[in-house]
Amino acid sequence: MTFQQQGRKHLVSAFNTKQIGHVDCPGGGQVWVDGNILYIGHMRPPSGTTLVDISDPRNPRKITTIDVPPGWHSHKVRAKDGLMIINHERFGNEGPADFGGGLALYDTTKPAQPKLISKWVTGGKGVHRYDFDGRYAYISPTADGYVGNIVMILDLIDPAHPVEVGRWWIPGQWTGGGEEYPWHDYVTPRCHHPLRMGDRLYVSYWHHGLFILDISDITKPKLVSHVNSSPSFPHPTHTCLPIPQPLKGRNIMVVADEDVAKLRPSAPAFTWIYDITDETNPLPISTFQVPGLDVDGSPQPQMTGCHQPSERFKGTVIPFAWFAQGLRLVDIADPFAPKEVGHYMPDAPAGAERSSSNDVTIDDRGIVYLIDRIRGVDIIETTVL
């Protein structure tokens, strides 16, 4: 497929997809849609968060950008019903220390004039990724007295006064509370982010694997089960995405490993399909890798393989941001044999050797938004959603 964009000829690979629009902007870590607004969390300061009107996805219109100071970034964003939440996390060592890590809450009922409501501040580097259901935020902060990132739940019913209502950590992280730290010869524990479905949190914990937590009492999360594929497989666990409907009579969870921070040189990271029908014993039943990407298991550069599935999807087709392989649309209707049913492989941004697709989401129309961590958001139609 060949098309013209910004006066240059581009060659892309597309299957069951078509690019219909593009946002030329600094690269980012997350995209999210609420109503007719696309929210973009940028990777590098001073660009923080951009709001884009996508009423006409073929002609997206930038509304405003919220900047951040040097040494900090706000590369993640979630929004619901006019409340926008962005993270603040250390990005390098320069810049004002008193800016502080945490979450900033904005009123975006007037998208052209975002209004800061409050900032919730945590100790250390700040907050990485999170889930938000309109009331509770399920976050991954660093916190005073703890080593690495932990699980925390904030009640945002009054966004001017966020309140912590629950936290959980791997025993050994709370050194400030007297716990003995057992990982001096291993990777620091790091909650990447929790996702909620029902009264469970599905938590990715980097090189410490995945955890399922019972939050029927939201103030006291309790461990249900734990699995860690590291160090047998050297990639960190990035996302644990539960599927709301049974597939082939089984309860299913999609688990994405991220193709970075490898414990040793390796083939590209891939995604796992877990059977969690017995949630006390999660079992991997299949995997998915982009066809042809891993030919013989030999090591390849990081950011070649898997990164992040869309936390929003329709039916059984999961959109993935697959780093240098762009958008991949994976059908898990048969969870024992996931298959690719579409893809969109963008050109590399100007100045880059290859694309670096970092995050993906969809809107209520089934339109896909794919952000590159270096530059730009592609807006994509597909016939399979």
Side-chain angles (χ1 to χ4, degrees):
M1 174 182 175
T2 304
F3 64 93
Q4 294 286 332
Q5 179 184 301
Q6 296 179 343
R8 295 189 298 164
K9 186 177 182 180
H10 289 245
L11 298 174
V12 304
S13 173
F15 171 55
N16 285 335
T17 59
K18 178 182 178 182
Q19 190 214 42
I20 60 170
H22 183 81
V23 181
D24 184 27
C25 64
Q30 189 169 30
V31 280
W32 192 257
V33 174
D34 187 51
N36 61 0
I37 303 299
L38 173 67
Y39 296 83
I40 303 171
H42 296 293
M43 190 63 68
R44 295 170 180 81
S47 301
T49 310
T50 294
L51 280 64
V52 178
D53 186 332
I54 51 168
S55 302
D56 178 359
R58 289 169 173 77
N59 295 287
R61 180 176 61 85
K62 177 181 171 181
I63 301 173
T64 190
T65 295
I66 301 168
D67 289 337
V68 289
W72 299 90
H73 69 173
S74 54
H75 68 317
K76 308 299 182 186
V77 58
R78 292 291 294 268
K80 187 173 178 62
D81 300 330
L83 178 61
M84 179 180 73
I85 304 173
I86 63 175
N87 72 322
H88 289 158
E89 184 181 45
R90 257 298 180 190
F91 188 77
N93 297 317
E94 59 182 31
D98 59 358
F99 182 76
L103 292 178
L105 285 69
Y106 283 83
D107 179 347
T108 56
T109 52
K110 296 180 179 179
Q113 299 174 322
K115 181 180 179 181
L116 180 64
I117 302 171
S118 64
K119 178 169 178 176
W120 178 86
V121 178
T122 189
K125 293 182 178 180
V127 174
H128 192 66
R129 200 168 181 131
Y130 45 92
D131 192 12
F132 175 53
D133 61 13
R135 174 169 179 177
Y136 295 104
Y138 311 90
I139 69 175
S140 58
T142 52
D144 291 336
Y146 293 82
V147 178
N149 298 62
I150 66 172
V151 178
M152 188 177 290
I153 304 171
L154 300 182
D155 188 348
L156 305 182
I157 191 170
D158 178 0
H161 301 95
V163 176
E164 179 190 337
V165 293
R167 66 171 63 183
W168 185 88
W169 62 95
I170 306 175
Q173 285 190 266
W174 189 25
T175 56
E179 295 180 355
E180 183 178 354
Y181 183 77
W183 301 291
H184 294 288
D185 297 323
Y186 191 60
V187 182
T188 301
R190 177 193 175 196
C191 172
H192 189 268
H193 69 298
L195 291 176
R196 181 174 184 172
M197 188 175 77
D199 60 5
R200 295 292 187 265
L201 279 184
Y202 300 86
V203 185
S204 53
Y205 234 97
W206 213 234
H207 283 297
H208 291 253
L210 64 92
F211 295 83
I212 300 177
L213 304 181
D214 179 347
I215 57 166
S216 52
D217 179 351
I218 203 167
T219 67
K220 297 178 180 179
K222 296 187 300 184
L223 178 65
V224 175
S225 58
H226 170 227
V227 175
N228 191 9
S229 60
S230 294
S232 296
F233 291 87
H235 312 102
T237 304
H238 184 279
T239 299
C240 303
L241 181 68
I243 305 303
Q245 74 274 21
L247 301 177
K248 282 198 164 180
R250 315 304 294 173
N251 296 331
I252 298 298
M253 176 173 63
V254 173
V255 177
D257 285 355
E258 182 175 3
D259 200 27
V260 299
K262 305 178 186 187
L263 297 178
R264 61 183 182 275
S266 69
F270 50 88
T271 200
W272 306 77
I273 310 297
Y274 273 81
D275 183 339
I276 55 171
T277 307
D278 176 2
E279 64 178 353
T280 66
N281 185 30
L283 292 174
I285 57 173
S286 63
T287 62
F288 173 81
Q289 178 61 282
V290 170
L293 183 60
D294 180 8
V295 177
D296 58 8
S298 61
Q300 295 187 35
Q302 69 173 4
M303 296 185 181
T304 295
C306 183
H307 186 215
Q308 165 71 13
S310 173
E311 295 166 20
R312 283 177 168 164
F313 54 92
K314 290 187 174 183
T316 61
V317 177
I318 314 295
F320 276 85
W322 211 271
F323 275 142
Q325 315 309 313
L327 169 69
R328 319 309 293 201
L329 299 170
V330 182
D331 192 347
I332 60 167
D334 181 352
F336 298 93
K339 63 180 180 179
E340 184 172 293
V341 293
H343 71 256
Y344 178 80
M345 179 69 183
D347 269 359
E353 293 184 358
R354 58 183 187 171
S355 62
S356 189
S357 299
N358 203 77
D359 193 60
V360 60
T361 194
I362 66 172
D363 65 18
D364 293 340
R365 301 167 290 193
I367 296 171
V368 179
Y369 302 83
L370 180 72
I371 189 165
D372 191 282
R373 68 187 291 119
I374 304 302
R375 189 165 191 88
V377 177
D378 286 313
I379 303 175
I380 302 160
E381 276 188 339
T382 176
T383 58
V384 300
L385 291 180

